[in-house]
């Protein structure tokens, strides 16, 4: 059994959201204004090519579809020929690089000339009670897709809407007394208003899409920049980790070398001496007990020394004072041992807060740093 989904009516603010101009900075406004010229150029060229293509496609059928007795076919043919030339002139002008920056006024001029030619052609087709003038209501809609501000759109659409009836009435002044004049002008005004409303809505949507695209582009650029910085930081951190690993490896090897030397120099020599001393004592136990006893006492001294060496090495590896009394006492003890071992005076000032307890890993790391120094 399906689950019904409750439909919510959109609020007034949601409905009118596309009608509200999207806020933008001065740079975005300049960029959008700069994009109007190329857009109008593409739109104008597309319209001119399309109209001329339609003229060429339908020109051969005018004689068959239109009434030749009323002069309608001749009027339509005249309109097609004159507007074809007008559009061709506009297309030729747009091929000149020097004229492309003036695409907006040139397109407006081309549209006004075509509207005037249409009005003159409609005047040749018949009075206002004939059906032909009603084709003029589509003319103001030509500005819908042009991205213009409302003030410029109103000026262009009003001029385009007025061009057809003005040209028509100039050619047929008798129609000023026609009972159909008011209805024709009213329909023209309605077409102008529809063109203004739809055109401005399309303008706002076009502007919103342009600004959102720029915002996305800036976001992508910022993301790419952040990614580059992050990659640099990762590379730097990786280099530091490698350097630290190499330092740890060197320190480990140095420590191993030191232990090896101490084992060889201290334990090795003392054990060798102990072996010879015990061998000598064993040979003299029966003949010279006093001399054997002396050798044994000497061996005990060597063992005592070896015990001290081993204790010293164990203390270097992990000082017991660090576990029992903390980092401060361990650093002070290290300073004393270093001074006693090397003969170099070593002073250290330790300020420890009894209330602060260090993590054992932090304490041993700090101790190793002090030991390296």
């Amino acid at each position: 059994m399906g689950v019904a989904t409750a439909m919510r009516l959109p609020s007034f603010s949601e409905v009118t959201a596309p009608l509200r101009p999207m806020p933008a900075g001065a740079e975005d406004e300049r960029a959008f204004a700069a994009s109007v010229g190329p857009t109008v150029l593409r739109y104008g060229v597309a319209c001119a090519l399309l109209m001329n293509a339609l003229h060429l496609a339908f020109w051969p059928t005018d004689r068959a579809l239109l009434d030749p007795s009323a002069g309608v076919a001749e009027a339509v043919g005249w309109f097609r020929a004159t507007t074809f030339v007008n559009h061709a002139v506009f297309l030729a002008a747009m091929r000149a690089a020097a004229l492309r920056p003036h695409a907006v006024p040139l397109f407006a001029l081309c549209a006004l000339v075509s509207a005037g030619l249409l009005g003159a052609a409609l005047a040749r087709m018949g009075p206002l009670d004939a059906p032909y003038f009603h084709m003029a209501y589509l003319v103001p809609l030509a500005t819908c897709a042009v991205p213009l501000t409302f003030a410029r759109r109103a000026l262009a659409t009003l001029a385009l809407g007025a061009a057809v009836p003005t040209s028509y009435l100039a050619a047929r002044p008798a129609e000023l007394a026609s009972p159909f004049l008011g209805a024709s002008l009213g329909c023209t005004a309605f077409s102008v208003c529809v063109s203004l409303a739809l055109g401005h809505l399309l303008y706002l949507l076009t502007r919103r899409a342009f600004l959102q695209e720029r915002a996305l582009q800036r976001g992508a650029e910022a993301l790419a920049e952040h990614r580059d910085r992050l990659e640099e930081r990762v590379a730097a951190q990786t280099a530091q980790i490698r350097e630290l690993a190499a330092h740890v490896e060197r320190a480990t090897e140095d420590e191993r070398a030191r232990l090896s030397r101490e084992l060889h120099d201290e334990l090795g020599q003392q054990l060798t001496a102990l072996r010879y001393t015990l061998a000598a004592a064993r040979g003299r136990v029966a003949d010279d007990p006093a001399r054997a006893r002396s050798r044994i006492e000497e061996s005990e001294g060597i063992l005592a020394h070896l015990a001290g060496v081993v204790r010293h090495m164990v203390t270097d590896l992990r000082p017991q004072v660090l576990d029992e009394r903390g980092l401060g006492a361990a650093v002070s003890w290290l300073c004393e041992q270093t001074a006693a071992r090397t003969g170099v005076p070593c002073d250290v000032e330790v300020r420890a807060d009894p209330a602060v307890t260090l993590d054992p890993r932090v304490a041993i790391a700090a101790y190793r740093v002090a030991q390296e120094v």
Side-chain angles (χ1 to χ4, degrees), residues 179-323:
F180 300 98
L181 179 63
S184 300
L185 295 180
C187 290
T188 301
F190 178 78
S191 177
V192 169
C193 292
V194 170
S195 178
L196 283 175
L198 291 179
H200 190 58
L201 177 60
L202 289 175
Y203 167 80
L204 292 177
L205 293 176
T206 301
R207 180 177 177 274
R208 183 181 294 270
F210 179 86
L211 295 177
Q212 288 177 343
E213 182 179 359
R214 281 182 61 86
L216 288 175
Q217 183 179 0
R218 284 195 297 267
E221 292 174 354
L223 184 61
E225 183 180 356
H226 180 70
R227 180 197 62 202
D228 294 339
R229 290 200 303 266
L230 184 60
E231 289 179 352
E232 292 176 358
R233 292 182 60 184
V234 169
Q237 292 292 334
T238 303
Q240 291 180 2
I241 291 174
R242 289 175 179 172
E243 183 179 354
L244 179 60
H247 175 73
V248 170
E249 183 65 24
R250 289 193 301 270
T252 302
E253 291 299 326
D254 292 343
E255 186 64 17
R256 288 173 179 173
R258 185 182 67 82
L259 290 176
S260 176
R261 288 193 302 270
E262 290 192 7
L263 287 173
H264 178 270
D265 296 342
E266 295 289 341
L267 292 182
Q269 294 177 8
Q270 296 298 327
L271 287 174
T272 300
L274 179 61
R275 182 166 59 87
Y276 284 116
T277 302
L278 289 175
R282 185 173 59 248
R284 296 180 180 274
V285 168
D287 300 336
D288 192 353
R291 185 68 177 271
R293 187 181 301 107
S294 175
R295 293 292 185 179
I296 293 173
E297 291 176 355
E298 184 180 349
S299 298
E300 291 176 348
I302 294 174
L303 286 175
H305 178 73
L306 286 176
V309 171
V310 172
R311 184 167 53 254
H312 172 70
M313 293 175 64
V314 171
T315 301
D316 282 348
L317 291 175
R318 178 73 180 190
Q320 190 175 4
V321 66
L322 179 63
D323 298 325

Side-chain angles (χ1 to χ4, degrees), residues 7-366:
M7 295 184 63
R8 181 182 65 87
L9 291 176
S11 63
F12 179 77
S13 60
E14 292 174 340
V15 174
T16 59
L19 303 178
R20 295 192 296 270
M22 185 175 179
E27 183 179 354
D28 287 338
E29 291 290 0
R30 287 193 295 269
F32 179 70
S35 71
V36 169
T39 302
V40 173
L41 174 62
R42 291 190 295 269
Y43 177 73
V45 169
C47 288
L49 289 173
L50 177 62
M51 292 302 298
N52 279 1
L54 292 175
H55 283 325
L56 293 175
F58 287 97
W59 209 329
T61 65
D62 290 344
R63 294 282 180 179
L65 298 178
L66 300 176
D67 183 9
S69 62
V72 175
E74 288 79 8
V76 173
W78 176 85
F79 170 70
R80 292 193 189 283
T82 53
T83 53
F84 187 93
V85 173
N86 180 43
H87 298 157
V89 171
F90 172 74
L91 291 173
M94 291 299 96
R95 292 182 63 86
L99 296 178
R100 288 175 189 169
H102 308 288
V104 175
L106 289 176
F107 175 69
L109 178 62
C110 176
L112 286 175
V113 171
S114 292
L117 292 174
L118 176 60
L122 295 176
R124 298 174 63 177
M125 294 180 192
L128 289 177
D129 55 355
Y132 305 108
F133 183 82
H134 304 294
M135 292 187 296
Y137 303 150
L138 298 176
V139 173
L141 298 177
T143 62
C144 281
V146 183
L148 298 174
T149 61
F150 187 80
R152 292 186 176 183
R153 179 177 305 281
L155 179 62
T157 307
L158 288 173
L160 200 60
V164 177
T166 300
S167 177
Y168 179 86
L169 294 175
R172 297 181 71 97
E175 295 302 315
L176 290 171
S178 172
F180 300 98
L181 179 63
S184 300
L185 295 180
C187 290
T188 301
F190 178 78
S191 177
V192 169
C193 292
V194 170
S195 178
L196 283 175
L198 291 179
H200 190 58
L201 177 60
L202 289 175
Y203 167 80
L204 292 177
L205 293 176
T206 301
R207 180 177 177 274
R208 183 181 294 270
F210 179 86
L211 295 177
Q212 288 177 343
E213 182 179 359
R214 281 182 61 86
L216 288 175
Q217 183 179 0
R218 284 195 297 267
E221 292 174 354
L223 184 61
E225 183 180 356
H226 180 70
R227 180 197 62 202
D228 294 339
R229 290 200 303 266
L230 184 60
E231 289 179 352
E232 292 176 358
R233 292 182 60 184
V234 169
Q237 292 292 334
T238 303
Q240 291 180 2
I241 291 174
R242 289 175 179 172
E243 183 179 354
L244 179 60
H247 175 73
V248 170
E249 183 65 24
R250 289 193 301 270
T252 302
E253 291 299 326
D254 292 343
E255 186 64 17
R256 288 173 179 173
R258 185 182 67 82
L259 290 176
S260 176
R261 288 193 302 270
E262 290 192 7
L263 287 173
H264 178 270
D265 296 342
E266 295 289 341
L267 292 182
Q269 294 177 8
Q270 296 298 327
L271 287 174
T272 300
L274 179 61
R275 182 166 59 87
Y276 284 116
T277 302
L278 289 175
R282 185 173 59 248
R284 296 180 180 274
V285 168
D287 300 336
D288 192 353
R291 185 68 177 271
R293 187 181 301 107
S294 175
R295 293 292 185 179
I296 293 173
E297 291 176 355
E298 184 180 349
S299 298
E300 291 176 348
I302 294 174
L303 286 175
H305 178 73
L306 286 176
V309 171
V310 172
R311 184 167 53 254
H312 172 70
M313 293 175 64
V314 171
T315 301
D316 282 348
L317 291 175
R318 178 73 180 190
Q320 190 175 4
V321 66
L322 179 63
D323 298 325
E324 295 177 351
R325 298 174 56 191
L327 178 61
V331 172
S332 299
W333 174 86
L334 176 63
C335 183
E336 294 173 0
Q337 292 297 314
T338 302
R341 186 187 309 169
T342 62
V344 178
C346 179
D347 295 325
V348 63
E349 181 180 357
V350 178
R351 297 179 181 178
D353 188 352
V356 177
T357 302
L358 287 179
D359 186 278
R361 292 172 296 179
V362 177
I364 188 60

